Amino acid sequence: MEITFQGLDQLIQVISRASTPMWITIIGVFVPILISIIIFLQSLTQNRKNIQLQKQIEQNNEELQKKLSEHEERIQMRSEFLKIYDDFCSAQSVISSVYGQIHIVFSNFTVVNSTTAPLKLVSDINNATSTICQSVNKARIVLPSYDEGSRKILDNIYKKFFELQNKVNNYYNSGYAYSVSENAWNYVTSSYGIVKYDYYTLIRNSVAYDYFLNLCINNLTNEIEVIIKDTLPLFDYDKFDRYFEPYLQMGRLEGKDGGNQ
């Protein structure tokens, strides 16, 4: 019996010497928990940063899309103003090419390529007037409300073209233009012996041709010339081009010139 207790005591001593110290046990239990907490907090912090970063990216994308949209809108508006400008310049070329020559145009009713010079002029003026009418209507929509100057100059040009259109159409459609030309031909035929409608021979005879053209001048051709004369100055730089500069120069459209419209 005594031997048995002695052996048990020896076993307890061996187990006691083999046991892990308490502080190591505590560390073994709490350190993994602490590491887990630290990892969780780091993950939480990183997640918040990722959310903030994502929001910042989305905000930057929205701002970029807004800027791109505004840039495209400015480009589209520039195209609209350029089209208006080109339409008016084309109309200007129609009348500037015949200024001082209205009586000459209406003197020749020879058919060339299925049309005559007077009919072509009437058609060109009608088309030009219709085109700038549409451009004026478009300008009233796209021009900012404060830009009354541009509206006024475009309206004035259109009114002059409308007046010119009516005068030219009346002169041609009434048959008066053709009658004037016929009377002039009758005179040079009888006075100079030139075959009627033989423009080649007529032009070679400078005296007869000058007299023929003078006979084609009348109050209506003079009134048409006056309208054209009054209209062309409306296309001068200070009265026309400068009004388009704020809308056609890309730097000013982008607000990079530092000036005011």
Side-chain angles (χ1 to χ4, degrees):
M1 190 65 175
E2 183 177 346
I3 296 174
T4 301
F5 280 108
Q6 185 179 0
L8 182 58
D9 183 59
Q10 291 176 352
L11 180 60
I12 291 174
Q13 291 179 6
V14 172
I15 293 173
S16 297
R17 288 195 299 268
S19 297
T20 302
M22 181 63 67
W23 65 272
I24 293 179
T25 301
I26 294 172
I27 291 175
V29 173
F30 287 99
V31 167
I33 297 175
L34 182 60
I35 293 175
S36 298
I37 293 173
I38 292 174
I39 293 175
F40 173 76
L41 292 176
Q42 289 179 340
S43 298
L44 184 62
T45 301
Q46 186 63 42
N47 184 57
R48 289 177 178 175
K49 290 181 179 180
N50 290 339
I51 293 175
Q52 293 177 351
L53 180 60
Q54 183 64 32
K55 290 182 177 179
Q56 185 64 44
I57 292 175
E58 292 176 355
Q59 182 178 353
N60 292 340
N61 286 337
E62 291 178 359
E63 293 177 356
L64 178 60
Q65 291 299 323
K66 181 179 179 180
K67 290 180 179 180
L68 290 175
S69 177
E70 291 175 349
H71 180 70
E72 291 176 357
E73 182 179 351
R74 285 191 290 267
I75 292 177
Q76 180 62 34
M77 289 296 292
R78 181 179 183 275
S79 298
E80 295 291 343
F81 283 112
L82 185 59
K83 179 63 168 60
I84 295 172
Y85 180 83
D86 288 341
D87 287 343
F88 273 84
C89 288
S90 296
Q92 176 195 20
S93 67
V94 170
I95 61 175
S96 62
S97 64
V98 297
Y99 179 50
Q101 303 181 54
I102 293 299
H103 65 292
I104 300 176
V105 173
F106 281 104
S107 71
N108 190 345
F109 281 81
T110 302
V111 177
V112 179
N113 296 327
S114 302
T115 189
T116 64
L119 180 58
K120 183 178 184 304
L121 176 60
V122 170
S123 177
D124 288 344
I125 291 179
N126 286 338
N127 290 335
T129 305
S130 176
T131 298
I132 64 175
C133 176
Q134 296 175 5
S135 294
V136 168
N137 291 334
K138 182 187 297 182
R140 289 170 180 165
I141 296 175
V142 298
L143 281 171
S145 58
Y146 60 80
D147 193 356
E148 288 296 331
S150 296
R151 286 188 174 86
K152 184 177 180 180
I153 187 62
L154 297 182
D155 284 338
N156 288 341
I157 293 175
Y158 169 67
K159 290 177 181 178
K160 297 301 292 185
F161 264 87
F162 186 73
E163 180 184 2
L164 176 64
Q165 179 188 39
N166 289 334
K167 188 70 67 174
V168 169
N169 284 341
N170 290 336
Y171 184 53
Y172 178 81
N173 294 330
S174 66
Y176 186 44
Y178 182 77
S179 177
V180 169
S181 177
E182 284 291 291
N183 291 336
W185 266 116
N186 291 335
Y187 182 85
V188 297
T189 297
S190 61
S191 300
Y192 296 93
I194 299 175
V195 177
K196 197 172 185 179
Y197 307 134
D198 184 358
Y199 280 96
Y200 178 73
T201 301
L202 175 63
I203 292 173
R204 292 179 64 187
N205 188 328
S206 60
V207 175
Y209 187 53
D210 287 342
Y211 203 90
F212 172 81
L213 293 180
N214 285 330
L215 291 174
C216 292
I217 299 175
N218 54 71
N219 290 336
L220 290 179
T221 58
N222 288 336
E223 290 174 4
I224 293 172
E225 291 285 7
V226 169
I227 297 174
I228 296 177
K229 181 180 179 180
D230 293 341
T231 303
L232 288 175
L234 297 178
F235 289 94
D236 290 346
Y237 172 80
D238 288 337
K239 297 179 181 179
F240 181 74
D241 298 83
R242 76 179 184 87
Y243 287 94
F244 283 88
E245 287 183 351
Y247 307 106
L248 296 181
Q249 295 178 355
M250 288 303 296
R252 299 180 71 173
L253 283 174
E254 300 291 347
K256 296 178 181 179
D257 67 334
N260 296 324
Q261 294 181 356

